[in-house]
Amino acid sequence: MGDKPTIAISHLGCEKNRIDTEHILGLLVEAGYSVDTNEDLADYVIVNTCSFIQAAREESVRTLVELAEANKKVVIAGCMAQHFQEQLLEELPEAVAVVGTGDYHKIVNVLERVEKGERVKQISVDPTYIADENTPRYRTTTEGVAYLRVAEGCDYGCAFCIIPHLRGNQRSRTIESIVGEAKQLGAQGVKELILISQITTNYGLDIYGQPKLAELIRALGEVDIPWVRMHYAYPTGITPDVIKAIQETTNFLPYLDLPLQHSHPEILRAMNRPWQGRVNDGIIERIKTALPEAVLRTTFIVGFPGETQEHFDHLLEFTERHQFDHLGVFTFSPEEGTPAYNLPNQLPQELMVERRNQLMEMQQPISLHKNCQQVGKIVDVLIEQENPQTGDLIGRSDRFAPEVDGQVYVQGKASLGTIVPVKITTADAYDLYGEVVMA
């Protein structure tokens, strides 16, 4: 143990990246490395980077530069390593290795080579790896929550998205593998499981010849975890069979994260998502009818090249009509290597920001109204944090996913990582406030 270097990990980016970070930690601990949260005490710092949009890259670069200025030996992992491998090695002499998105499971070998004086570039051109239930993992989320990757990569070619280039084609895990890991997580006390992939509704298409999300949902109904929710559900994949599986599976939350990106058929065609424009309204209405309790979240991109005021007005009207529970809005980010990068009629940043603000302002009273409907109700809340000074608790109801939605601020006593009944007393546009109901 003593002769191995100490490692710290700096995690950036999305929850898909977080799972990679957790496997890196698990593999290092299994191999006998000391892992320290304090970067100052570490011999090496592994930075698991994000390269999805410009803002994410800037955060990754800032982190790398700060570590370089502190004379830290840096291992650059993740999407940015996959994206800019040569430039990173050239511009950051402190970088002792770059490790791609399909190679993080080789981290122990990479460090062993670095220790022998080699400067390592470990990057598969077409990533094919996906971890399974036997891959060591050290969770970094709060006690009661875990993300579970059901597939990796993407076969779609959305004009704005660099992900297929960074993560490779879709590769799904088997239902048995996913259920096996879910059972392990349940045994660790996990109360909420969040299924993730690039397109969760396409789960299984590559290995079973057709999507198997409905079968997966039903299989997870047998696992002893009270809340299972799904992220990144493409609207076309919410088939009658999937809806029926959600209805029949008591621990599967009717929470649907539908990354619609836009509403106008012309913009969706330019985004290379033409199928979506034909189905948006019908599918959303069908979901609301079949699952009246469904919580709907979506994300939109404003300022895609060629977006006119008419296109944007269509999006405003669409948002107003469908009354989404939660909404995220991004400004278009031109990504080199994507078809949208060179499209004509790129919009000025100020106009994009103005449109984003306008859409979010329109959403606020909708979110407030949805939250106010919870006032007076007793809802289950997963307790995640406690303020040591005041004893106040913070958690989430099943209407809120971690990181992206609101929180519930709770008065009363409860243990971290438990689900307790809470009477909601007040609400604002983002959060709820309530008191623990004593048995």
Side-chain angles (χ1 to χ4, degrees):
M1 197 78 181
D3 59 343
K4 291 199 172 177
T6 300
I7 315 292
I9 294 193
S10 176
H11 164 79
L12 304 167
C14 66
E15 61 269 35
K16 292 179 280 292
N17 226 27
R18 178 184 293 281
I19 289 181
D20 297 348
T21 296
E22 292 179 349
H23 284 306
I24 289 170
L25 281 166
L27 289 160
L28 291 173
V29 169
E30 183 189 59
Y33 287 87
S34 298
V35 178
D36 202 299
T37 52
N38 187 341
E39 291 165 2
D40 295 336
L41 301 178
D43 300 299
Y44 296 95
V45 180
I46 299 170
V47 183
N48 199 7
T49 57
C50 180
S51 193
F52 182 46
I53 56 174
Q54 181 66 28
R57 280 199 296 280
E58 287 169 0
E59 183 188 12
S60 293
V61 168
R62 265 197 312 276
T63 303
L64 292 170
V65 167
E66 284 167 12
L67 289 166
E69 287 173 349
N71 294 317
K72 280 289 162 197
K73 294 175 185 167
V74 180
V75 175
I76 307 173
C79 288
M80 203 166 176
Q82 190 78 25
H83 202 176
F84 299 108
Q85 43 196 288
E86 301 298 345
Q87 294 100 305
L88 289 169
L89 286 172
E90 280 170 26
E91 292 171 25
L92 274 174
E94 295 80 6
V96 294
V98 289
V99 182
T101 57
D103 299 270
Y104 61 85
H105 58 300
K106 300 172 185 167
I107 191 66
V108 171
N109 175 260
V110 167
L111 286 169
E112 287 168 351
R113 288 157 66 191
V114 164
E115 280 285 274
K116 290 175 183 164
E118 187 181 343
R119 200 173 188 216
V120 180
K121 187 174 97 169
Q122 181 64 60
I123 295 182
S124 301
V125 178
D126 297 309
T128 57
Y129 177 72
I130 183 165
D132 62 22
E133 75 279 19
N134 298 314
T135 311
R137 180 177 176 187
Y138 182 90
R139 281 194 297 119
T140 60
T141 43
T142 56
E143 202 172 329
V145 179
Y147 292 99
L148 181 54
R149 177 184 277 139
V150 302
E152 172 67 292
C154 181
D155 295 336
Y156 285 7
C158 298
F160 53 83
C161 186
I162 196 76
I163 292 298
H165 175 63
L166 301 180
R167 294 267 173 182
N169 292 331
Q170 178 174 307
R171 46 206 187 272
S172 302
R173 296 169 58 183
T174 64
I175 290 174
E176 293 75 16
S177 172
I178 295 165
V179 169
E181 187 171 4
K183 286 179 176 173
Q184 291 170 12
L185 293 165
Q188 293 168 21
V190 165
K191 299 291 189 288
E192 177 181 17
L193 201 58
I194 304 168
L195 308 183
I196 57 168
S197 70
Q198 275 69 26
I199 308 176
T200 306
T201 34
N202 273 8
Y203 163 73
L205 181 60
D206 52 310
I207 56 171
Y208 297 117
Q210 57 185 309
K212 289 286 184 180
L213 179 59
E215 288 83 350
L216 177 62
I217 290 170
R218 291 187 176 102
L220 289 168
E222 304 301 313
V223 176
D224 187 19
I225 293 179
W227 290 357
V228 182
R229 83 170 74 231
M230 165 175 62
H231 278 192
Y232 311 111
Y234 273 55
T236 45
I238 307 295
T239 61
D241 196 26
V242 168
I243 288 174
K244 194 159 182 285
I246 296 170
Q247 290 170 328
E248 292 171 355
T249 308
T250 53
N251 64 344
F252 203 90
L253 302 178
Y255 174 103
L256 293 173
D257 171 40
L258 308 165
L260 298 177
Q261 313 305 5
H262 212 280
S263 63
H264 199 288
E266 288 174 10
I267 295 298
L268 289 166
R269 195 156 47 245
M271 287 179 166
N272 199 27
R273 297 165 69 94
W275 42 271
Q276 187 187 306
R278 297 193 300 271
V279 299
N280 273 353
D281 285 317
I283 281 187
I284 291 167
E285 290 311 320
R286 192 172 82 212
I287 291 167
K288 286 179 176 175
T289 303
L291 298 166
E293 298 299 307
V295 175
L296 299 185
R297 147 173 278 284
T298 193
T299 47
F300 292 129
I301 296 172
V302 295
F304 191 82
E307 183 189 59
T308 64
Q309 186 62 43
E310 182 193 340
H311 295 141
F312 180 63
D313 287 344
H314 188 281
L315 184 58
L316 287 171
E317 187 272 330
F318 181 86
T319 306
E320 178 74 45
R321 187 167 76 253
H322 286 301
Q323 301 275 304
F324 295 100
D325 296 82
H326 308 293
L327 177 68
V329 184
F330 296 90
T331 55
F332 170 71
S333 175
E335 298 305 311
E336 197 169 351
T338 65
Y341 183 73
N342 292 315
L343 283 177
N345 304 317
Q346 303 266 342
L347 275 63
Q349 186 66 29
E350 309 80 66
L351 179 59
M352 292 198 279
V353 170
E354 188 184 309
R355 286 182 178 175
R356 179 185 66 194
N357 293 345
Q358 194 180 340
L359 193 51
M360 288 305 293
E361 279 168 24
M362 200 190 83
Q363 174 66 22
Q364 278 199 316
I366 298 171
S367 294
L368 176 61
H369 174 69
K370 297 275 189 181
N371 278 352
C372 284
Q373 289 177 327
Q374 301 295 300
V375 174
K377 291 182 180 177
I378 294 174
V379 302
D380 285 342
V381 173
L382 174 58
I383 302 298
E384 297 191 279
Q385 300 171 54
E386 181 179 5
N387 183 320
Q389 275 75 45
T390 64
D392 291 347
L393 304 168
I394 304 175
R396 287 175 298 102
S397 74
D398 59 10
R399 296 184 67 252
F400 297 149
E403 311 288 343
V404 290
D405 299 331
Q407 293 178 309
V408 185
Y409 292 85
V410 180
Q411 302 288 316
K413 296 286 180 204
S415 302
L416 292 179
T418 62
I419 295 176
V420 296
V422 171
K423 182 166 188 181
I424 303 302
T425 52
T426 52
D428 59 33
Y430 295 106
D431 302 311
L432 300 174
Y433 304 83
E435 300 161 350
V436 175
V437 177
M438 302 310 290

